[in-house]
């Protein structure tokens, strides 16, 4: 989880507030996309979808509709748009509304997992998010009748507390010395990762994570627990909405 992926320095991991930046095209793969030397496009992962936006160059706009990950981060251009050649200076810009909504949603899910782990001892078994909506699955055999309401009340209390959200990088052995640093039932961290990115919600939740987040819980908004579903074998799925 370092800030470098192939030829690309990942500005999204340096500062999640970056929305516009200057960069140079270092390569173009006709099948996979455009490689920049610096990029704030979150490439997707951990349930968070990739960013969208544009590259501006020479009076031309190239829409970026996603990312392909390999040895490099390849920005996928819209099929109708021109593609800048290697060496071209470009101005990158993210779809701000989409990114900000995804950051609020992702941070909200960390509050949710922190609350469910603290109050019910349950680990995450899966999840997915879109801007302002998400699902999260927990390994939770027994739930009280008012579970959904209790979770929503506790999550929104933590959001109102305005807890700081910070990121840091630790050596793998240091990270795994922190109790419960992995909040998933299965450790999804690749074994070759030597530096682990940590997202900390002060006083509530600390976990390994590669996504983008708002700076404090108050910026999340409000979480509504829309529905709880039983998925068998003690697994519970919560569907949530951010408003």
């Amino acid at each position: 989880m370092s800030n470098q992926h192939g030829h690309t320095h990942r500005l999204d991991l340096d500062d999640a507030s970056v929305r516009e930046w200057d960069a140079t095209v270092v390569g173009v793969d006709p099948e996979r996309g455009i490689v920049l030397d610096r990029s704030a496009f979150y490439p997707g992962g951990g349930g968070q979808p990739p960013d969208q936006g544009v590259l501006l160059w020479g009076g031309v706009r190239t829409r970026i509709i996603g990312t392909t990950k390999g040895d490099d981060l390849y920005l996928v251009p819209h099929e109708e748009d021109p593609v800048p050649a290697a060496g071209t200076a470009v101005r990158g810009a993210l779809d701000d509304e989409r990114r900000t909504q995804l950051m609020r949603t992702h941070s909200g899910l960390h509050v949710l997992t922190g609350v469910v782990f603290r109050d019910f001892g349950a680990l995450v078994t899966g999840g997915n998010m879109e801007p302002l909506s998400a699902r999260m699955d927990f390994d939770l055999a027994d739930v009280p009748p008012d579970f959904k309401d209790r979770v929503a009340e506790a999550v929104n209390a933590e959001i109102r507390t305005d807890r700081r959200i910070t990121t840091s990088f630790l050596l793998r052995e240091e990270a795994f010395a922190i109790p419960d640093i992995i909040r998933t039932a299965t450790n999804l961290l690749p074994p070759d990762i030597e530096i682990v990115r940590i997202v900390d919600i002060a006083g509530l939740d600390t976990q390994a994570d590669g996504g983008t987040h708002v700076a404090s819980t108050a910026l999340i908004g409000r979480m509504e627990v829309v529905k709880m579903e039983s998925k068998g074998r003690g697994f519970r799925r919560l569907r949530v909405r951010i408003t």
Side-chain angles (χ1 to χ4, degrees), residues 134-214:
R135 67 166 174 83
M136 189 65 72
D137 300 341
F138 294 96
D139 185 357
L140 192 62
D142 299 309
V143 295
D146 59 349
F147 173 74
K148 185 163 78 79
D149 294 335
R150 281 175 59 183
V151 168
E153 185 176 339
V155 165
N156 286 301
E158 295 298 339
I159 288 173
R160 289 192 301 272
T161 301
D162 196 14
R163 298 183 181 277
R164 286 189 65 209
I165 303 176
T166 56
T167 60
S168 60
F169 291 88
L170 293 177
L171 291 171
R172 186 183 183 92
E173 55 268 28
E174 294 175 18
F176 278 89
I178 301 173
D180 307 309
I181 196 67
I182 302 296
R183 289 298 174 83
T184 50
T186 304
N187 182 357
L188 303 177
L189 199 66
D192 58 340
I193 295 287
E194 296 178 2
I195 304 294
V196 180
R197 185 170 181 263
I198 305 297
V199 174
D200 180 69
I201 302 178
L204 175 67
D205 184 71
T206 303
Q207 57 180 295
D209 181 78
T212 58
H213 292 269
V214 292

Side-chain angles (χ1 to χ4, degrees), residues 2-19:
S2 74
N3 288 19
Q4 190 77 22
H5 187 128
H7 292 88
T8 305
H9 183 80
R10 289 188 55 185
L11 301 172
D12 54 306
L13 296 182
D14 288 342
D15 180 356
S17 71
V18 172
R19 296 292 183 271

